[in-house]
Amino acid sequence: MTECLLGRARGASLAGQHLLLLPEGTRESDVTGLVVARHPGAAVHAGAELRIGRHAALHGPLHLDAGAASGAEVPSPWRLAWALTSPVERDDAVLPGLSDRDGLTRAFPGGLPVAGERRALDLLLGLARRLRGAVRCAGRGALLAPDPLAWPGLDVRTARPVGPAAVAAILAPAGAPLEVAGEQVLLAPLAGGCLEVVLEPDDGLSGGGSTAALRWWPEEPGEAEHERPSLAYREQRAAAVVAISVMARHLLGACGGSVVDVGGLPVRDLG
């Protein structure tokens, strides 16, 4: 059930917490379903707390009126939020000139979150990417609106074991001329970089199958670590995202299984 926060004072009570901000109409089950899939041990307590670790929990959903949003430093149009409770764990100050694709160096110049805080914050960023939301960071109040395409990759957890030669044959109709480049690695050239498939044996999640990690690596790795990369890079990345989705569909069709994104969140719509 959504809790309504009214007034600036109530909003100010959230100043010390990272907030996941979501579009109006986002269902509670949209959040809890993804979180529990990523953290199978997560449990809902007291009707509004989703515990994601020993010292970290999400509280919500919260609906903020104009006063509460102002007190919480939440800009328009965001009004629906989940609050993260976690220890503050930071690294040394960020070196001048460093950047990253999610904007963390901008939000935390005094020291990036590490350990449990970083894991919890990465989950919030993953949820924001999937649900078209944003993250309002505690402290300086920086707003991060992660690009859904910033991390081009998928992990296909096949229902049966599969080797490099079989993967190359399965993906041949997808237009990816994959060549075996290592015992469990396949590579294919793509404009602006290359596609890589790394195969791993069952990790206990795919019931005896394999995990095929599909990734795109740009020719200029530094381009990937910009919050606002060049148009040329974004066009190449978009083409890679489509190619990876097509490859994932072919693998699923041939081997069965499931797909997760690079943050470990389940993917059910491959376009």
Side-chain angles (χ1 to χ4, degrees):
M1 180 180 295
T2 303
E3 178 184 355
C4 294
L5 298 188
L6 308 177
R8 187 178 181 85
R10 291 294 306 280
S13 67
L14 300 175
Q17 297 174 266
H18 304 309
L19 300 180
L20 170 64
L21 308 177
L22 297 170
E24 293 283 356
T26 303
R27 297 171 299 181
E28 180 177 351
S29 60
D30 294 335
V31 176
T32 58
L34 288 171
V35 172
V36 171
R38 177 65 182 85
H39 297 278
V44 177
H45 297 274
E49 179 183 87
L50 186 62
R51 185 154 295 281
I52 57 175
R54 186 176 180 183
H55 303 293
L58 283 173
H59 304 262
L62 310 171
H63 195 277
L64 287 64
D65 72 354
S70 176
E73 299 184 48
V74 171
S76 295
W78 307 107
R79 291 293 182 267
L80 185 62
W82 287 72
L84 172 67
T85 299
S86 73
V88 175
E89 300 175 271
R90 303 290 166 83
D91 205 346
D92 295 332
V94 175
L95 294 175
L98 287 183
S99 63
D100 67 283
R101 64 191 81 186
D102 287 328
L104 290 168
T105 51
R106 171 175 61 83
F108 301 98
L112 293 175
V114 295
E117 184 184 17
R118 179 58 183 268
R119 290 191 293 272
L121 187 56
D122 281 345
L123 175 62
L124 261 60
L125 289 167
L127 292 169
R129 271 191 293 271
R130 177 62 60 81
L131 300 173
R132 303 288 176 169
V135 175
R136 196 280 282 138
C137 300
R140 301 174 71 243
L143 187 73
L144 305 181
D147 186 340
L149 302 183
W151 296 87
L154 295 171
D155 287 354
V156 180
R157 296 168 176 169
T158 64
R160 60 178 175 81
V162 61
V167 168
I170 290 168
L171 296 181
L178 286 160
E179 296 184 0
V180 178
E183 186 176 349
Q184 296 292 319
V185 179
L186 300 97
L187 293 174
L190 192 69
C194 72
L195 288 171
E196 178 187 65
V197 181
V198 177
L199 299 173
E200 297 286 349
D202 176 36
D203 56 7
L205 296 174
S206 52
S210 302
T211 296
L214 314 177
R215 299 290 185 270
W216 177 64
W217 301 108
E219 291 175 354
E220 299 293 337
E223 276 281 355
E225 296 306 326
H226 289 291
E227 198 173 356
R228 296 177 178 83
S230 68
L231 176 60
Y233 171 81
R234 284 184 279 125
E235 289 175 341
Q236 294 166 352
R237 185 181 64 185
V241 168
V242 172
I244 287 171
S245 294
V246 171
M247 292 166 68
R249 285 202 302 270
H250 276 74
L251 279 173
L252 277 181
C255 304
S258 61
V259 181
V260 299
D261 63 20
V262 294
L265 298 175
V267 175
R268 295 184 176 86
D269 181 7
L270 292 171

